[in-house]
Amino acid sequence: MRHPLFIARTVLVKNGAVEEAMGVLNNIMARDGFFEQYRRTRFYEKPTEMRRRVNYTKCKSIYNEEMSRRLAFLMRVNRPDPYPGCS
Amino acid sequence: MFRQLLTPVRAVLQNLGAESVGPKLASHCRSSGACDFSATSSAAYHTSPALFLGRRQRKEGNTSFVQKEYVADGEKASILEVRQSKGDDRFPDLHLPTREFNGIMFKDLPIVNIKATLNNTLLCVTDSFGAAYTTRSCGYDGFKNARKGTNVAAQATAFTLGKKLMQRGFRTVRVKVSGLGAGRLAAVRGLTFAGVNVVSLTDYTPISWNPPRPRKQRRL
């Protein structure tokens, strides 16, 4: 589907703050994966490379999830009983 | 046509407005002291960090505390977080094409097309119908070889182009940027340094999710 020009991927510049507007635009596009897709499709990706990339991303996300869970467990505050079993 | 296309945008904005009622309700609830039910529930599960009110938080009037309850995981990663309120004027809305900038409607403003590649930056000024008015590039302005692709070259080229535009009366323009080269931001900056009023930035990079087979990998 073609998106309407000057509606899609458009940021208005407020008070001449061009760099800020470009920052917002880039931020949104990076979050949506536009830049990654653009860079990845410059050259052909062989099937083996694609498999390696997908597997690597899988492992990384699993690791990140587990690590963030552990950190959240260690860093938690405001526990109702901070030292369970010691009272 | 714009009205049809913008209905989803409007729906999202309305939803945002509806969500912003939530924290207000909560703060009202807490100030009136009617939120005791959450105390019992969190004590039962031993998971909620919400209920211990320290001395500091009590002094501050719980303002930051109440907001914290309503931030879910990953919520900050959403694009909608960027939007400030219902009437965020950084993004196009229904009336943008007919809104006037410097006495000209947005849809009639001239367009500066910037193509920022890795090796060069090209600028082309067209009117609102796409008829080319003038073209400049870093190579045309005397930068040669690898220097064409730098941000300094892009800024200088855009500056000279902007001066020319100002002489010819193109004072207010909208900008279309394509490509991820070094001149992506620098060219727009150069235009503003020359005094051109840039109204909007549009990304026009051709990105496909089912492209034809690209060229083979470079071997270094």
Side-chain angles (χ1 to χ4, degrees):
Chain A
M1 177 191 164
R2 278 182 72 88
H3 296 283
L5 192 57
F6 294 113
I7 296 288
R9 294 197 233 161
T10 298
V11 176
L12 297 182
V13 179
K14 279 168 73 179
N15 307 324
V18 170
E19 302 187 12
E20 189 191 326
M22 185 61 101
V24 171
L25 181 64
N26 285 351
N27 196 353
I28 292 176
M29 289 192 59
R31 279 180 189 172
D32 284 0
F34 279 85
F35 291 157
E36 194 200 340
Q37 175 71 11
Y38 180 80
R39 290 196 189 100
R40 196 141 46 69
T41 51
R42 288 308 91 194
F43 297 105
Y44 179 69
E45 191 180 31
K46 283 184 200 166
T48 61
E49 290 165 359
M50 178 185 261
R51 256 179 275 132
R52 281 186 61 191
R53 180 173 55 80
V54 168
N55 286 338
Y56 177 74
T57 331
K58 270 185 197 169
C59 294
K60 200 175 162 189
S61 63
I62 289 171
Y63 177 85
N64 283 344
E65 189 186 342
E66 180 64 21
M67 192 51 80
S68 61
R69 194 181 67 80
R70 284 186 193 184
L71 282 179
F73 178 70
L74 285 175
M75 305 285 284
R76 77 209 143 110
V77 290
N78 291 348
R79 286 175 288 171
D81 182 9
Y83 303 105
C86 296
S87 57
Chain B
M1 175 191 161
F2 286 118
R3 192 158 297 179
Q4 282 176 0
L5 290 164
L6 276 178
T7 39
V9 175
R10 241 189 319 175
V12 166
L13 287 179
Q14 278 169 0
N15 283 340
L16 269 184
E19 279 171 15
S20 66
V21 178
K24 279 181 204 162
L25 268 180
S27 62
H28 176 256
C29 183
R30 193 163 287 281
S31 61
S32 63
C35 268
D36 292 335
F37 57 89
S38 58
T40 52
S41 64
S42 77
Y45 290 112
H46 293 272
T47 52
S48 166
L51 277 172
F52 179 72
L53 283 179
R55 203 181 300 144
R56 191 166 54 86
Q57 283 164 342
R58 242 182 267 132
K59 273 183 186 171
E60 283 170 358
N62 305 339
T63 45
S64 62
F65 186 66
V66 172
Q67 282 173 359
K68 231 179 182 176
E69 277 187 332
Y70 284 87
V71 176
D73 285 346
E75 201 173 316
K76 278 185 180 167
S78 162
I79 302 166
L80 300 179
E81 186 79 10
V82 176
R83 303 198 169 203
Q84 288 164 340
S85 61
K86 203 173 176 183
D88 191 348
D89 52 353
R90 290 181 298 174
F91 298 104
D93 63 351
L94 207 60
H95 309 292
L96 179 66
T98 52
R99 203 200 294 174
E100 286 196 353
F101 293 91
N102 225 346
I104 313 169
M105 281 202 282
F106 181 81
K107 60 177 183 177
D108 297 332
L109 284 174
I111 305 166
V112 178
N113 298 273
I114 298 170
K115 186 179 182 185
T117 63
L118 286 179
N119 292 328
N120 204 350
T121 304
L122 291 90
L123 295 102
C124 177
V125 185
T126 67
D127 64 3
S128 58
F129 298 105
Y133 171 69
T134 179
T135 306
R136 282 296 259 263
S137 71
C138 292
Y140 181 90
D141 266 20
F143 296 94
K144 288 297 169 196
N145 305 332
R147 286 192 202 132
K148 284 186 301 182
T150 58
N151 52 0
V152 178
Q155 189 166 327
T157 308
F159 186 78
T160 51
L161 181 78
K163 283 289 178 200
K164 197 177 166 191
L165 288 183
M166 290 294 282
Q167 285 173 4
R168 302 294 172 91
F170 289 72
R171 286 167 195 283
T172 311
V173 295
R174 37 187 179 163
V175 169
K176 250 164 71 175
V177 191
S178 114
L180 302 186
R184 184 178 163 90
L185 172 60
V188 186
R189 211 193 287 142
L191 281 179
T192 53
F193 283 163
V196 177
N197 180 20
V198 176
V199 163
S200 75
L201 294 177
T202 301
D203 184 90
Y204 199 53
T205 314
I207 303 168
S208 173
W209 263 260
N210 48 356
R213 178 171 171 149
R215 63 188 298 178
K216 71 176 179 184
Q217 286 270 9
R218 290 179 68 185
R219 298 178 66 177
L220 299 171

